[in-house]
Every structure is written in C-alpha cells, then in structure tokens.
Short mmCIF file of all heavy atoms in Angstrom, two decimals:
data_model
loop_
_atom_site.label_atom_id
_atom_site.label_comp_id
_atom_site.label_asym_id
_atom_site.label_seq_id
_atom_site.Cartn_x
_atom_site.Cartn_y
_atom_site.Cartn_z
N ALA J 1 2.97 -9.12 11.66
CA ALA J 1 4.06 -9.71 10.90
C ALA J 1 3.49 -10.60 9.82
O ALA J 1 2.38 -11.12 9.94
CB ALA J 1 5.00 -10.50 11.81
N ILE J 2 4.27 -10.77 8.76
CA ILE J 2 3.85 -11.61 7.65
C ILE J 2 5.07 -12.34 7.11
O ILE J 2 6.14 -11.77 6.94
CB ILE J 2 3.15 -10.77 6.55
CG1 ILE J 2 2.64 -11.68 5.43
CG2 ILE J 2 4.07 -9.68 6.03
CD1 ILE J 2 1.73 -10.95 4.46
N THR J 3 4.91 -13.63 6.87
CA THR J 3 6.00 -14.43 6.32
C THR J 3 6.00 -14.35 4.80
O THR J 3 5.07 -13.82 4.18
CB THR J 3 5.88 -15.89 6.75
OG1 THR J 3 4.74 -16.49 6.12
CG2 THR J 3 5.74 -16.01 8.26
N SER J 4 7.05 -14.88 4.21
CA SER J 4 7.14 -14.90 2.76
C SER J 4 6.03 -15.72 2.13
O SER J 4 5.65 -15.49 0.98
CB SER J 4 8.50 -15.44 2.31
OG SER J 4 8.72 -16.76 2.79
N GLY J 5 5.49 -16.67 2.89
CA GLY J 5 4.39 -17.49 2.41
C GLY J 5 3.02 -16.89 2.62
O GLY J 5 2.02 -17.48 2.20
N GLY J 6 2.95 -15.74 3.29
CA GLY J 6 1.69 -15.05 3.46
C GLY J 6 1.00 -15.27 4.79
O GLY J 6 -0.12 -14.77 4.99
N SER J 7 1.61 -16.01 5.70
CA SER J 7 1.02 -16.19 7.02
C SER J 7 1.11 -14.89 7.81
O SER J 7 2.17 -14.25 7.85
CB SER J 7 1.72 -17.31 7.78
OG SER J 7 1.56 -18.55 7.11
N ARG J 8 0.03 -14.52 8.47
CA ARG J 8 -0.04 -13.25 9.19
C ARG J 8 -0.26 -13.46 10.67
O ARG J 8 -0.92 -14.41 11.10
CB ARG J 8 -1.16 -12.39 8.63
CG ARG J 8 -0.96 -11.95 7.20
CD ARG J 8 -2.19 -11.22 6.68
NE ARG J 8 -1.99 -10.63 5.36
CZ ARG J 8 -2.16 -11.27 4.22
NH1 ARG J 8 -2.55 -12.55 4.21
NH2 ARG J 8 -1.94 -10.65 3.06
N ASN J 9 0.28 -12.55 11.44
CA ASN J 9 0.11 -12.55 12.88
C ASN J 9 -0.11 -11.12 13.33
O ASN J 9 0.64 -10.23 12.95
CB ASN J 9 1.33 -13.15 13.58
CG ASN J 9 1.12 -13.32 15.06
OD1 ASN J 9 0.04 -13.70 15.50
ND2 ASN J 9 2.16 -13.07 15.84
N TYR J 10 -1.14 -10.91 14.16
CA TYR J 10 -1.49 -9.58 14.64
C TYR J 10 -1.57 -9.56 16.15
O TYR J 10 -1.97 -10.53 16.79
CB TYR J 10 -2.85 -9.14 14.11
CG TYR J 10 -2.95 -8.95 12.62
CD1 TYR J 10 -3.43 -9.96 11.80
CD2 TYR J 10 -2.58 -7.74 12.04
CE1 TYR J 10 -3.52 -9.78 10.43
CE2 TYR J 10 -2.67 -7.55 10.67
CZ TYR J 10 -3.15 -8.57 9.87
OH TYR J 10 -3.26 -8.38 8.52
N ALA J 11 -1.21 -8.42 16.71
CA ALA J 11 -1.49 -8.20 18.11
C ALA J 11 -3.00 -8.12 18.31
O ALA J 11 -3.73 -7.61 17.45
CB ALA J 11 -0.84 -6.90 18.59
N ASP J 12 -3.47 -8.62 19.44
CA ASP J 12 -4.91 -8.61 19.70
C ASP J 12 -5.48 -7.19 19.65
O ASP J 12 -6.62 -7.00 19.21
CB ASP J 12 -5.20 -9.22 21.07
CG ASP J 12 -4.99 -10.72 21.09
OD1 ASP J 12 -4.99 -11.35 20.01
OD2 ASP J 12 -4.83 -11.28 22.19
N SER J 13 -4.72 -6.22 20.05
CA SER J 13 -5.20 -4.85 20.12
C SER J 13 -5.45 -4.22 18.76
O SER J 13 -6.16 -3.22 18.66
CB SER J 13 -4.23 -3.98 20.91
OG SER J 13 -2.95 -3.96 20.30
N VAL J 14 -4.88 -4.79 17.70
CA VAL J 14 -5.04 -4.21 16.37
C VAL J 14 -5.80 -5.11 15.42
O VAL J 14 -6.13 -4.68 14.30
CB VAL J 14 -3.68 -3.84 15.75
CG1 VAL J 14 -2.86 -2.98 16.70
CG2 VAL J 14 -2.90 -5.09 15.35
N LYS J 15 -6.09 -6.31 15.84
CA LYS J 15 -6.78 -7.26 14.97
C LYS J 15 -8.13 -6.70 14.54
O LYS J 15 -8.91 -6.23 15.37
CB LYS J 15 -6.93 -8.59 15.69
CG LYS J 15 -7.27 -9.77 14.79
CD LYS J 15 -7.16 -11.09 15.55
CE LYS J 15 -5.74 -11.35 16.02
NZ LYS J 15 -5.61 -12.67 16.70
N GLY J 16 -8.39 -6.76 13.26
CA GLY J 16 -9.62 -6.22 12.71
C GLY J 16 -9.53 -4.78 12.29
O GLY J 16 -10.43 -4.29 11.58
N ARG J 17 -8.49 -4.09 12.71
CA ARG J 17 -8.31 -2.69 12.35
C ARG J 17 -7.11 -2.48 11.43
O ARG J 17 -7.14 -1.62 10.56
CB ARG J 17 -8.12 -1.82 13.60
CG ARG J 17 -9.30 -1.86 14.55
CD ARG J 17 -9.13 -0.84 15.68
NE ARG J 17 -7.97 -1.14 16.52
CZ ARG J 17 -6.93 -0.33 16.69
NH1 ARG J 17 -6.89 0.85 16.08
NH2 ARG J 17 -5.93 -0.68 17.49
N PHE J 18 -6.07 -3.26 11.64
CA PHE J 18 -4.85 -3.14 10.85
C PHE J 18 -4.74 -4.32 9.90
O PHE J 18 -5.18 -5.44 10.21
CB PHE J 18 -3.61 -3.13 11.73
CG PHE J 18 -3.45 -1.93 12.62
CD1 PHE J 18 -4.45 -0.98 12.74
CD2 PHE J 18 -2.28 -1.75 13.34
CE1 PHE J 18 -4.31 0.13 13.57
CE2 PHE J 18 -2.12 -0.66 14.17
CZ PHE J 18 -3.13 0.29 14.28
N THR J 19 -4.14 -4.08 8.76
CA THR J 19 -3.89 -5.13 7.78
C THR J 19 -2.45 -5.04 7.31
O THR J 19 -2.01 -3.99 6.85
CB THR J 19 -4.84 -5.03 6.58
OG1 THR J 19 -6.20 -5.09 7.03
CG2 THR J 19 -4.58 -6.17 5.61
N ILE J 20 -1.74 -6.15 7.42
CA ILE J 20 -0.37 -6.19 6.93
C ILE J 20 -0.34 -6.94 5.60
O ILE J 20 -1.08 -7.91 5.40
CB ILE J 20 0.58 -6.85 7.96
CG1 ILE J 20 2.04 -6.68 7.53
CG2 ILE J 20 0.24 -8.32 8.17
CD1 ILE J 20 3.04 -7.05 8.61
N SER J 21 0.49 -6.47 4.70
CA SER J 21 0.66 -7.12 3.41
C SER J 21 2.09 -6.91 2.95
O SER J 21 2.83 -6.09 3.50
CB SER J 21 -0.33 -6.56 2.38
OG SER J 21 -0.13 -5.18 2.17
N ARG J 22 2.49 -7.66 1.94
CA ARG J 22 3.84 -7.50 1.41
C ARG J 22 3.86 -7.73 -0.08
O ARG J 22 3.05 -8.49 -0.63
CB ARG J 22 4.83 -8.44 2.12
CG ARG J 22 4.60 -9.92 1.88
CD ARG J 22 5.47 -10.78 2.79
NE ARG J 22 6.87 -10.77 2.39
CZ ARG J 22 7.85 -11.35 3.10
NH1 ARG J 22 7.57 -11.94 4.26
NH2 ARG J 22 9.10 -11.31 2.66
N ASP J 23 4.79 -7.08 -0.71
CA ASP J 23 5.05 -7.25 -2.13
C ASP J 23 6.44 -7.85 -2.22
O ASP J 23 7.44 -7.15 -2.05
CB ASP J 23 4.96 -5.92 -2.86
CG ASP J 23 5.11 -6.06 -4.36
OD1 ASP J 23 5.74 -7.03 -4.83
OD2 ASP J 23 4.58 -5.19 -5.09
N ASN J 24 6.51 -9.13 -2.45
CA ASN J 24 7.80 -9.81 -2.46
C ASN J 24 8.71 -9.33 -3.59
O ASN J 24 9.93 -9.30 -3.43
CB ASN J 24 7.60 -11.32 -2.56
CG ASN J 24 7.04 -11.93 -1.29
OD1 ASN J 24 7.29 -11.43 -0.19
ND2 ASN J 24 6.27 -13.00 -1.42
N ALA J 25 8.12 -8.97 -4.72
CA ALA J 25 8.92 -8.48 -5.83
C ALA J 25 9.61 -7.16 -5.49
O ALA J 25 10.71 -6.89 -5.96
CB ALA J 25 8.05 -8.30 -7.08
N LYS J 26 8.96 -6.35 -4.67
CA LYS J 26 9.52 -5.07 -4.25
C LYS J 26 10.19 -5.13 -2.89
O LYS J 26 10.73 -4.12 -2.44
CB LYS J 26 8.43 -4.00 -4.23
CG LYS J 26 7.80 -3.71 -5.58
CD LYS J 26 6.73 -2.64 -5.46
CE LYS J 26 6.12 -2.32 -6.80
NZ LYS J 26 5.06 -1.28 -6.70
N ASN J 27 10.14 -6.29 -2.25
CA ASN J 27 10.69 -6.44 -0.91
C ASN J 27 10.15 -5.36 0.03
O ASN J 27 10.90 -4.76 0.80
CB ASN J 27 12.22 -6.43 -0.94
CG ASN J 27 12.79 -7.58 -1.72
OD1 ASN J 27 12.55 -8.74 -1.40
ND2 ASN J 27 13.55 -7.27 -2.77
N THR J 28 8.86 -5.15 -0.05
CA THR J 28 8.21 -4.10 0.70
C THR J 28 7.07 -4.66 1.53
O THR J 28 6.31 -5.51 1.05
CB THR J 28 7.68 -3.01 -0.24
OG1 THR J 28 8.77 -2.45 -0.98
CG2 THR J 28 7.00 -1.90 0.53
N VAL J 29 6.96 -4.18 2.74
CA VAL J 29 5.86 -4.56 3.62
C VAL J 29 5.04 -3.31 3.93
O VAL J 29 5.59 -2.21 4.07
CB VAL J 29 6.37 -5.23 4.91
CG1 VAL J 29 7.25 -4.29 5.72
CG2 VAL J 29 5.22 -5.76 5.74
N TYR J 30 3.73 -3.50 4.02
CA TYR J 30 2.82 -2.40 4.26
C TYR J 30 1.99 -2.68 5.51
O TYR J 30 1.72 -3.83 5.85
CB TYR J 30 1.86 -2.20 3.09
CG TYR J 30 2.54 -2.05 1.75
CD1 TYR J 30 2.77 -3.16 0.93
CD2 TYR J 30 2.96 -0.81 1.29
CE1 TYR J 30 3.39 -3.03 -0.30
CE2 TYR J 30 3.58 -0.67 0.07
CZ TYR J 30 3.79 -1.77 -0.72
OH TYR J 30 4.41 -1.64 -1.95
N LEU J 31 1.59 -1.62 6.16
CA LEU J 31 0.66 -1.73 7.27
C LEU J 31 -0.43 -0.70 7.08
O LEU J 31 -0.19 0.50 7.23
CB LEU J 31 1.37 -1.52 8.61
CG LEU J 31 0.49 -1.73 9.85
CD1 LEU J 31 0.10 -3.20 9.99
CD2 LEU J 31 1.21 -1.25 11.11
N GLN J 32 -1.62 -1.17 6.74
CA GLN J 32 -2.78 -0.31 6.63
C GLN J 32 -3.43 -0.22 7.99
O GLN J 32 -3.87 -1.24 8.54
CB GLN J 32 -3.76 -0.85 5.60
CG GLN J 32 -5.02 -0.02 5.43
CD GLN J 32 -4.74 1.35 4.85
OE1 GLN J 32 -4.02 1.47 3.87
NE2 GLN J 32 -5.32 2.38 5.45
N MET J 33 -3.50 0.97 8.54
CA MET J 33 -4.03 1.18 9.87
C MET J 33 -5.32 1.99 9.77
O MET J 33 -5.31 3.15 9.37
CB MET J 33 -3.02 1.91 10.76
CG MET J 33 -1.67 1.20 10.85
SD MET J 33 -0.54 1.99 12.03
CE MET J 33 -0.24 3.54 11.17
N ASN J 34 -6.42 1.36 10.13
CA ASN J 34 -7.73 2.00 10.12
C ASN J 34 -8.27 2.11 11.53
O ASN J 34 -7.82 1.44 12.45
CB ASN J 34 -8.70 1.21 9.25
CG ASN J 34 -8.28 1.13 7.80
OD1 ASN J 34 -7.69 2.06 7.25
ND2 ASN J 34 -8.61 0.01 7.15
N SER J 35 -9.28 2.95 11.68
CA SER J 35 -9.93 3.15 12.98
C SER J 35 -8.91 3.39 14.08
O SER J 35 -8.98 2.79 15.16
CB SER J 35 -10.81 1.94 13.31
OG SER J 35 -11.79 1.72 12.32
N LEU J 36 -8.00 4.28 13.83
CA LEU J 36 -6.91 4.53 14.77
C LEU J 36 -7.42 5.11 16.08
O LEU J 36 -8.35 5.92 16.09
CB LEU J 36 -5.87 5.44 14.14
CG LEU J 36 -4.95 4.74 13.13
CD1 LEU J 36 -4.25 5.76 12.24
CD2 LEU J 36 -3.92 3.89 13.87
N ARG J 37 -6.79 4.70 17.15
CA ARG J 37 -7.11 5.15 18.49
C ARG J 37 -5.92 5.87 19.09
O ARG J 37 -4.79 5.69 18.67
CB ARG J 37 -7.48 3.95 19.37
CG ARG J 37 -8.59 3.07 18.81
CD ARG J 37 -8.63 1.74 19.53
NE ARG J 37 -9.68 0.86 19.03
CZ ARG J 37 -9.78 -0.43 19.32
NH1 ARG J 37 -8.90 -1.01 20.14
NH2 ARG J 37 -10.78 -1.15 18.82
N THR J 38 -6.20 6.67 20.12
CA THR J 38 -5.11 7.39 20.76
C THR J 38 -4.06 6.45 21.32
O THR J 38 -2.87 6.78 21.34
CB THR J 38 -5.64 8.30 21.88
OG1 THR J 38 -6.39 7.52 22.83
CG2 THR J 38 -6.56 9.38 21.30
N GLU J 39 -4.49 5.28 21.76
CA GLU J 39 -3.54 4.32 22.32
C GLU J 39 -2.64 3.67 21.26
O GLU J 39 -1.72 2.93 21.60
CB GLU J 39 -4.25 3.24 23.13
CG GLU J 39 -5.35 2.52 22.37
CD GLU J 39 -6.73 3.08 22.68
OE1 GLU J 39 -6.87 4.31 22.77
OE2 GLU J 39 -7.67 2.27 22.85
N ASP J 40 -2.92 3.94 19.99
CA ASP J 40 -2.04 3.48 18.93
C ASP J 40 -0.82 4.39 18.76
O ASP J 40 0.08 4.07 17.98
CB ASP J 40 -2.79 3.39 17.60
CG ASP J 40 -3.87 2.33 17.60
OD1 ASP J 40 -3.62 1.23 18.13
OD2 ASP J 40 -4.96 2.59 17.06
N THR J 41 -0.82 5.50 19.45
CA THR J 41 0.29 6.43 19.36
C THR J 41 1.58 5.77 19.84
O THR J 41 1.65 5.25 20.95
CB THR J 41 0.01 7.69 20.20
OG1 THR J 41 -1.12 8.37 19.66
CG2 THR J 41 1.21 8.62 20.19
N ALA J 42 2.58 5.78 18.99
CA ALA J 42 3.85 5.13 19.29
C ALA J 42 4.82 5.39 18.15
O ALA J 42 4.44 5.90 17.10
CB ALA J 42 3.66 3.62 19.49
N VAL J 43 6.06 5.01 18.38
CA VAL J 43 7.02 4.93 17.30
C VAL J 43 6.90 3.53 16.71
O VAL J 43 7.00 2.54 17.42
CB VAL J 43 8.46 5.19 17.77
CG1 VAL J 43 9.44 5.03 16.62
CG2 VAL J 43 8.57 6.59 18.37
N TYR J 44 6.70 3.47 15.42
CA TYR J 44 6.54 2.20 14.73
C TYR J 44 7.83 1.84 14.00
O TYR J 44 8.39 2.67 13.27
CB TYR J 44 5.38 2.28 13.73
CG TYR J 44 4.03 2.21 14.39
CD1 TYR J 44 3.56 3.26 15.18
CD2 TYR J 44 3.22 1.08 14.26
CE1 TYR J 44 2.34 3.19 15.81
CE2 TYR J 44 1.99 1.01 14.87
CZ TYR J 44 1.55 2.07 15.65
OH TYR J 44 0.32 1.99 16.27
N TYR J 45 8.27 0.62 14.21
CA TYR J 45 9.53 0.15 13.65
C TYR J 45 9.29 -0.98 12.66
O TYR J 45 8.61 -1.95 12.98
CB TYR J 45 10.46 -0.36 14.74
CG TYR J 45 10.91 0.68 15.73
CD1 TYR J 45 10.20 0.92 16.89
CD2 TYR J 45 12.06 1.43 15.49
CE1 TYR J 45 10.60 1.88 17.80
CE2 TYR J 45 12.48 2.39 16.40
CZ TYR J 45 11.74 2.61 17.55
OH TYR J 45 12.16 3.55 18.45
N CYS J 46 9.85 -0.83 11.49
CA CYS J 46 9.84 -1.92 10.53
C CYS J 46 10.82 -2.99 10.98
O CYS J 46 11.91 -2.69 11.47
CB CYS J 46 10.23 -1.39 9.15
SG CYS J 46 10.21 -2.63 7.84
N ASN J 47 10.44 -4.23 10.80
CA ASN J 47 11.26 -5.36 11.21
C ASN J 47 11.34 -6.38 10.09
O ASN J 47 10.33 -6.74 9.48
CB ASN J 47 10.68 -6.01 12.47
CG ASN J 47 11.34 -7.33 12.81
OD1 ASN J 47 10.82 -8.41 12.52
ND2 ASN J 47 12.50 -7.25 13.45
#
C-alpha cells in the first residue's frame, strides 16, 4: 500500500521483490512484481 504522501507498506513475503508506486495526477497505482514465485499465485485486488 502507498499513501498520497508516498509512505509505503509491504507484506514481508514480497518485500524486496515488489515495488508499489502511484501517479497522483492519473489517480493510478502500480505494482511491479519481480522474482515471482509460485506462492505468489492469487487473485490480486486493487484497493
């Protein structure tokens, strides 16, 4: 998760592999997922 001020919070299982960012002008949030593992398989929901 990321706040409007840029503070980020990650689950321990993805820290160092995933990066969250946002473009406030576009009201868009991104999740860059690298080094994916089979246990990352899931339905991902934007919040």
Side-chain angles (χ1 to χ4, degrees):
I2 184 170
T3 69
S4 59
S7 297
R8 295 174 173 87
N9 187 39
Y10 295 96
D12 289 340
S13 60
V14 308
K15 196 170 297 183
R17 300 187 296 119
F18 293 7
T19 302
I20 189 168
S21 61
R22 66 189 287 174
D23 185 334
N24 289 329
K26 297 180 179 180
N27 297 301
T28 300
V29 62
Y30 307 93
L31 185 67
Q32 179 66 47
M33 304 186 293
N34 298 326
S35 302
L36 283 162
R37 306 165 180 168
T38 56
E39 54 262 42
D40 294 318
T41 296
V43 178
Y44 284 69
Y45 296 91
C46 182
N47 170 260

